[in-house]
Each structure stands twice: as structure tokens, then as C-alpha cells.
Amino acid sequence: MSLNEYIFKSLDSNIPKHVALIMDGNGRWATLRGLDRSKGHQEGVKRISDVVRTADKIGVKAITIFAFSTENWSRPQKEIDEIFALVRKYLKEERFNEDNVKITFMGDHSILDEDTRKTIQEVREKTSGNTGTILNIALNYGSKEETLNAIKTISKDYKNGKIDIEELDYNRVENHLMSKGLPDIDLMVRTGGEKRLSNFLLWQLAYSELHFTPVYWPDYNELEFINSIKEYQKRERRFGGLKL
Ligand code: IPE
Ligand code: IPE
Ligand code: MG
């Protein structure tokens, strides 16, 4: 059976609209092979397009990937520089338009270097008209920072008489989050074996299905992604209600 046949035969029609991924385990993948951690990041970045293409094939509308957290600044400068160099290379070289992929971002980019900020701006503009899968990249993203900024903006609006406390609802809060406009996250996958959220999308993951896999991110290929979707299809979502 070809990979395509396998993919389509093994899934039912319940495809998640939005999948979020914590791409973890690059360092351990490399260390296990006696390689430098940077080799793990190099190999890991290649998996992103595999996942995005598979997502497109099966009808996933949006993928959010955790590329760099607000806490990752505590790593050695050399590793940080290597990660950002890889991010820039990926954004500059990947042919998103050929796959009709639209790139969006989350995170505070104001403290990033000029080249990275320019690269982000260019890829955003270049792909803004694409209508295929959305690849949303969380770069210098932290959910607590995002929440804090939302609280600050809402407080200012209140102070300036723009909103009443009584008017504040979930929708208004969500309008101040960086995920604004994206579908709800149906499935969150974390590779690398850790079972934690690490400050990723704390509001947005309410009622998402969570899949934790021991596979290190550089080994997370098309079939692993399909396996995560299959795992999702086994779940029964109740949203606080009763079994349908
Ligand atoms: C995830 O892999 C990539 C980033 C955080 C940028 P890690 O670098 O965290 O890999 P491990 O968890 O140390 O194996
Ligand atoms: C989460 O991985 C962040 C990214 C994948 C970008 P970490 O490796 O930074 O998370 P912790 O420190 O193990 O929780
Ligand atoms: Mg890690």
C-alpha cells in the first residue's frame, strides 16, 4: 500500500481543524546520537514541512508550532543563535507559495534582531493571499505574557471608557489573544515525552484533546502525524456535556 493510500484508508472524516504542536526533543535526539544539539534542531526543522504537507492533504486547516518560548532565552547564547539562524533560513528558503501555505506568527518580535524581524515581515506579506493550510509560528511566545498583554489592553480600554466591565466576555478576551481569527485547537501534540504545556496556549487549549508522544521531534514524520490524528479520532469529546 502506498503512503497516500495508507493515510486515506486509516482515517475517518473527523479531521481536526487546528492542530498545535510542541516540537520537543531535538536536543535529546542529537545527544543520543553523539551529535551536537544544533544537529537536532537542523533535523527538526525539516519535519515542519512534512507535517504541513500532510495536514494539507488530509484537510487540517491550521497548524500552530512552538518554535521558541519566552523561557528559551535561558539557554546558552550559541544555541539561541543557532535556532534563530535556522528559523530565518527556513522562512527564506521554504517555497510556501508552491504549497499555497499561509504563514502567520504569534509572540513578541519587538526584541528580535532586525534580520529576523524583516524575514518575518516578508514571509507574512508574501504568503498573505494563500488559501491553503495556515502555518502559525509561535516565536518568542509565552501564554502568560500573551494573557498579561490582553489584561493590560482591556484595562486601558476600560480606563478610557471604551468598554464596560459587564460587556467583557470570552469573545472580547479572545480578540486580544494572538490566536485571534484561528479556529479552536482540536488537538495539541507534544513530542519528546514530557507531559506538560510549558506556557503554551493556556487559554486556547481548554477542551483540546492532548496527545503526548515519546517520539523526538526529528523523528516525527508523516506517519507519526497521522498516528496523532488517529489517536484524536479515538477520543470522545464531550465539552462538559454527556456522551452523544
Ligand atoms: C525543542 O527541542 C526545540 C526548542 C525548544 C527550540 P529541545 O531543544 O527542547 O530538545 P530537548 O528537549 O532538550 O531534547
Ligand atoms: C517547549 O520546549 C518549547 C518549544 C518547543 C519551543 P522546552 O524544551 O523549552 O520545554 P521544557 O523546558 O522542557 O518545559
Ligand atoms: Mg525540550
Side-chain angles (χ1 to χ4, degrees):
M1 203 185 330
S2 75
L3 180 62
N4 266 348
E5 277 173 318
Y6 172 76
I7 286 172
F8 290 108
K9 283 211 176 98
S10 62
L11 294 175
D12 63 37
S13 62
N14 177 26
I15 300 294
K17 274 205 185 76
H18 185 176
V19 179
L21 291 151
I22 301 181
M23 312 184 290
D24 197 20
N26 290 351
R28 281 165 285 161
W29 180 91
T31 307
L32 204 67
R33 287 161 177 75
L35 303 168
D36 192 75
R37 290 176 58 85
S38 62
K39 195 76 191 126
H41 298 311
Q42 277 170 38
E43 202 52 38
V45 89
K46 295 182 195 161
R47 295 293 87 73
I48 301 170
S49 299
D50 298 347
V51 166
V52 174
R53 287 201 190 101
T54 314
D56 187 52
K57 260 189 239 165
I58 64 174
V60 173
K61 303 281 178 239
I63 296 279
T64 291
I65 53 169
F66 207 2
F68 194 87
S69 75
T70 46
E71 289 75 25
N72 286 146
W73 296 108
S74 62
R75 296 193 180 199
Q77 191 59 42
K78 179 176 164 283
E79 179 165 343
I80 295 171
D81 292 344
E82 281 161 354
I83 292 171
F84 277 95
L86 277 171
V87 169
R88 284 191 299 273
K89 188 172 184 299
Y90 174 72
L91 294 177
K92 283 177 185 166
E93 292 179 2
E94 194 62 29
R95 299 206 173 95
F96 299 114
N97 286 342
E98 280 179 18
D99 293 326
N100 198 18
V101 173
K102 178 174 172 171
I103 307 292
T104 60
F105 291 88
M106 293 196 313
D108 176 11
H109 300 162
S110 66
I111 59 162
L112 303 184
D113 64 277
E114 171 102 37
D115 189 12
T116 305
R117 276 189 286 136
K118 198 164 146 259
T119 309
I120 287 170
Q121 195 47 33
E122 278 170 6
V123 76
R124 211 186 237 147
E125 281 165 18
K126 232 171 51 193
T127 65
S128 65
N130 290 347
T131 53
T133 304
I134 295 169
L135 174 61
N136 180 41
I137 304 174
L139 188 66
N140 191 26
Y141 171 83
S143 186
K144 286 193 171 181
E145 183 171 290
E146 176 188 46
T147 309
L148 196 58
N149 284 333
I151 293 170
K152 284 182 187 170
T153 310
I154 292 166
S155 305
K156 276 184 202 149
D157 285 352
Y158 172 69
K159 198 175 155 201
N160 297 330
K162 285 197 198 156
I163 53 157
D164 274 342
I165 296 287
E166 290 69 32
E167 282 173 28
L168 197 56
D169 56 12
Y170 295 159
N171 261 335
R172 277 170 202 262
V173 174
E174 279 163 12
N175 279 340
H176 291 290
L177 299 181
M178 291 164 169
S179 49
K180 185 185 168 202
L182 291 170
D184 285 346
I185 297 166
D186 299 304
L187 170 67
M188 194 290 302
V189 180
R190 181 173 188 143
T191 63
E194 311 294 359
K195 295 185 181 70
R196 55 176 170 254
L197 296 179
S198 303
N199 201 9
F200 190 46
L201 302 167
L202 302 178
W203 170 291
Q204 294 90 336
L205 291 178
Y207 278 111
S208 305
E209 294 299 324
L210 309 179
H211 179 223
F212 297 97
T213 166
V215 174
Y216 293 141
W217 177 255
D219 288 330
Y220 192 79
N221 56 20
E222 283 187 279
L223 286 179
E224 293 296 343
F225 182 64
I226 292 299
N227 281 336
S228 297
I229 306 289
K230 279 162 70 173
E231 176 63 34
Y232 168 80
Q233 296 189 333
K234 283 189 222 154
R235 307 284 176 89
E236 184 192 278
R237 305 187 77 186
R238 290 191 291 277
F239 299 97
L242 300 177
K243 191 174 186 304
L244 292 174

